[in-house]
Amino acid sequence: MASFNVYVVFGVLTIMASGAVMAYEVDPVKANNCETKMTLHCVTEVFASIFKTGIVTDNCCIELIGLGQFCHYALIKKTLQNPLFRNNDTSVILSRGAQVWNKCTLVNKDVSPSPSAY
Ligand SMILES: *[C@@H]1O[C@H](CO)[C@@H](O)[C@H](O)[C@H]1NC(C)=O
């Protein structure tokens, strides 16, 4: 009987562990706390400039660079999974995301104290 119980416990642990791995793969946004690294104001600005129209202000660019490229693309991909944005062309959105990112890296250089960049 003891070996039966051990088997059951092992099975439950295995299921829990594989669930955790799946959750990590399914939602890198949550796994990396991407949603907690920017103000809502800037998330809205970046979102609008990629999926609609508009510009990202310098302040929000600095936040975006702080967020990091991984989270930037993870958030874009997550948004593309939303039924509201399923119709958007993934390659268009990703290239717009890259444009915003590149623009923001330039803004970030502007504010850096080193004048030798130019
Ligand atoms: C994304 O899709 C929406 C709704 O179909 C559309 O209004 C918007 O212009 C699209 N955005 C881009 C960047 O293609």
Side-chain angles (χ1 to χ4, degrees), residues 49-53 84-89 92-93 96:
S49 73
I50 294 172
F51 286 88
K52 297 175 182 177
T53 52
L84 280 174
F85 301 100
R86 276 226 171 100
N87 291 333
N88 283 109
D89 188 335
V92 170
I93 297 297
R96 278 194 182 218

